[in-house]
Amino acid sequence: MPFSLLKYGLKNDYPFEKDADLPSPTELKKHYDVIIIGGGGHGVATAYYLAKYHGINNIAILEKGYLGGGNTARNTAVIRSNYLTSEGVKFYKESVDMFQGLSNEFDFNIMYSSRGQLTLAHTDATVRSFRQRTEVNTHFGGKTELIDPQQIQELVPTLNMNPADMPILAGLWHIDGATARHDAVAWGYAKGATQRGVELHQLTEVTDVIVENGKAKGVKTNRGEVSCGCIVQAVAGHSSIVAAMAGIKMPITTYPLQAMVTQPVKPFLDPLVSSSALHCYVQQTGRGEMVFGGGSDPYPLYNTRSTLDLKESLLASAVEMFPFMANLKLMRQWAGITDMTSDYSPIMGLSPVENYYLDAGWGTWGFKSTPICGKSMAELVASGGKVPELIAPFAMDRFDEFRQVNEMGATAASH
């Protein structure tokens, strides 16, 4: 045994630090300046930016399960900004830029991997829409190109160029596409927030929201009643349920979303590859596993069970794209639940209840927005309700005023 290995093995704090990343649980206080409902990526990011950049640390994050255990733990960690609208591109481009520096900001490795994303076009109509997305992305500083079949073959030599008898005509090559470790992002934000005095209360379920004279005053939990100055709702997958506690009806429908992963193989696929026609995306993790995903299930449901029909259809499409993968063995399949809006964009900002701020409607695109969402929601709270310009287009009242931000064509199976 090498001496250096023995030395580290005998140290009291190896492989753990002497000071835990997260403090031990504490009792709930009677009052907080800010209560954040939801201990996923968005919730802890909002607390982090409030504490670090706005000096507000009398904050309680209330999580009914465990840190990052909801949709944060169930997504496939895609990061991109190649959206369709100017509002969407500007918002997600800011998030991609922030992701690139998160490891240094946290002093905590989020395993960020810049790999690029390739979306395939099988029809002339799709090629035209990709050309539009390329122009919009380029205008706002994104690195996106329209590439031809030869370039696609050179980029991904193992890709079948005629999957399901649908020849690949072109590709949307998003150079900024990346992945990161989702739980590392949540832990990095949570560690930074709690080091600055924020309290993270796991296994603390909000059972009701206290509203008096149109203002949010506090919450009731399974551990007692707590008052507060304001509330931030960040509960992906359960937005409608929690908002209803405050008397808010949200324009959201919730669907399951499934993904699966194979046994690990030698690295052969660097970019993330997706096809909206086949409704499937494929990526290889740093450990060599192949991850498959697609669109949400076709029926509303609050359930995270896996289904055989989705497995069969998704794997059939993945094998059309990469035929040799038919010989791989599937290791596991899982699901999350997604809050979908009619225009495939989030709901952020003010609500009909004063001092109750919404971070909802994240569908399949929540993880990639984590840094900019936390920063923007922190600015909203710290300013006492002044909505940052970047998130103003995502206000809930856009549905009443027909100001939708339609990203349906840019989400599809790309996530």
Side-chain angles (χ1 to χ4, degrees):
M1 178 184 294
F3 176 73
S4 59
L5 182 61
L6 179 63
K7 179 181 68 174
Y8 282 111
L10 294 175
K11 292 180 68 174
N12 292 332
D13 63 341
Y14 184 84
F16 306 104
E17 300 174 353
K18 290 182 178 178
D19 297 323
D21 287 339
L22 298 177
S24 301
T26 60
E27 292 296 320
L28 281 171
K29 294 190 295 189
K30 293 297 183 181
H31 178 86
Y32 295 92
D33 294 334
V34 183
I35 286 179
I36 298 174
I37 307 175
H42 287 206
V44 292
T46 301
Y48 173 85
Y49 290 111
L50 278 170
K52 183 171 182 178
Y53 296 105
H54 299 282
I56 301 172
N57 63 1
N58 185 24
I59 302 171
I61 305 170
L62 307 182
E63 168 56 47
K64 72 173 184 178
Y66 57 91
L67 170 63
N71 280 357
T72 298
R74 297 170 181 271
N75 73 85
T76 51
V78 176
I79 300 167
R80 65 184 181 92
S81 63
N82 57 340
Y83 278 77
L84 183 61
T85 67
S86 58
E87 298 90 344
V89 172
K90 287 188 289 185
F91 179 77
Y92 292 105
K93 172 66 167 61
E94 190 79 17
S95 199
V96 169
D97 292 343
M98 293 178 69
F99 260 114
Q100 294 170 357
L102 276 190
S103 291
N104 288 334
E105 171 145 348
F106 294 158
D107 190 23
F108 191 96
N109 186 10
I110 67 166
M111 303 180 192
Y112 181 86
S113 176
S114 183
R115 309 165 60 180
Q117 187 204 32
L118 175 65
T119 311
L120 307 175
H122 303 272
T123 66
D124 290 337
T126 306
V127 174
R128 287 194 295 271
S129 71
F130 281 5
R131 187 171 289 114
Q132 177 188 355
R133 287 172 65 182
T134 299
E135 295 298 327
V136 173
N137 276 252
T138 302
H139 180 74
F140 291 106
K143 298 177 182 177
T144 303
E145 303 172 358
L146 188 66
I147 61 176
D148 61 33
Q150 181 178 343
Q151 292 171 296
I152 293 172
Q153 191 74 82
E154 293 171 355
L155 192 62
V156 190
T158 53
L159 177 65
N160 175 17
M161 297 300 291
N162 187 26
D165 294 321
M166 293 188 292
I168 297 172
L169 304 182
L172 187 69
W173 175 230
H174 182 45
I175 301 169
D176 290 335
T179 60
R181 184 72 184 178
H182 41 71
D183 51 355
V185 172
W187 274 79
Y189 275 121
K191 179 180 179 181
T194 54
Q195 285 177 340
R196 292 170 172 83
V198 174
E199 295 182 12
L200 171 63
H201 294 276
Q202 302 177 82
L203 300 177
T204 305
E205 181 177 3
V206 172
T207 57
D208 199 8
V209 176
I210 303 170
V211 178
E212 297 177 1
N213 300 319
K215 294 184 179 181
K217 293 293 188 179
V219 296
K220 296 179 181 178
T221 77
N222 59 341
R223 296 172 57 195
E225 188 173 307
V226 186
S227 65
C228 64
C230 69
I231 298 173
V232 178
Q233 175 187 305
V235 288
H238 296 86
S239 298
S240 298
I241 294 173
V242 175
M245 297 178 187
I248 302 169
K249 185 176 182 180
M250 303 202 69
I252 283 173
T253 306
T254 301
Y255 298 88
L257 176 70
Q258 301 183 48
M260 54 202 72
V261 65
T262 73
Q263 65 188 117
V265 295
K266 290 182 178 180
F268 74 92
L269 182 65
D270 195 36
L272 317 169
V273 182
S274 66
S275 167
S276 56
L278 293 171
H279 228 58
C280 176
Y281 67 88
V282 180
Q283 69 181 74
Q284 188 170 27
T285 71
R287 296 186 297 272
E289 303 155 337
M290 302 307 302
V291 178
F292 310 128
S296 303
D297 288 5
Y299 42 81
L301 190 67
Y302 287 95
N303 199 297
T304 55
R305 69 170 182 264
S306 304
T307 60
L308 178 61
D309 58 341
L310 188 285
K311 179 188 298 182
E312 291 177 336
S313 63
L314 194 55
L315 293 182
S317 296
V319 170
E320 286 285 352
M321 295 167 67
F322 297 94
F324 72 93
M325 291 198 303
N327 297 317
L328 299 182
K329 293 182 179 179
L330 196 66
M331 287 204 306
R332 62 185 178 275
Q333 179 183 4
W334 69 94
I337 47 178
T338 61
D339 289 332
M340 305 295 293
T341 58
S342 59
D343 62 356
Y344 286 65
S345 288
I347 296 173
M348 301 179 69
L350 307 179
S351 78
V353 176
E354 189 175 342
N355 298 331
Y356 192 92
Y357 304 119
L358 296 172
D359 173 34
W362 284 106
T364 65
W365 47 89
F367 174 74
K368 67 179 65 64
S369 64
T370 301
I372 188 58
C373 176
K375 179 182 177 182
S376 300
M377 293 301 293
E379 291 175 3
L380 174 67
V381 172
S383 67
K386 183 180 179 181
V387 179
E389 182 179 351
L390 192 63
I391 66 171
F394 306 124
M396 189 166 69
D397 62 10
R398 72 180 187 270
F399 297 102
D400 298 325
E401 301 174 3
F402 300 100
R403 294 184 288 102
Q404 285 87 340
V405 184
N406 189 0
E407 291 288 1
M408 183 176 183
T411 53
S414 298
H415 290 209

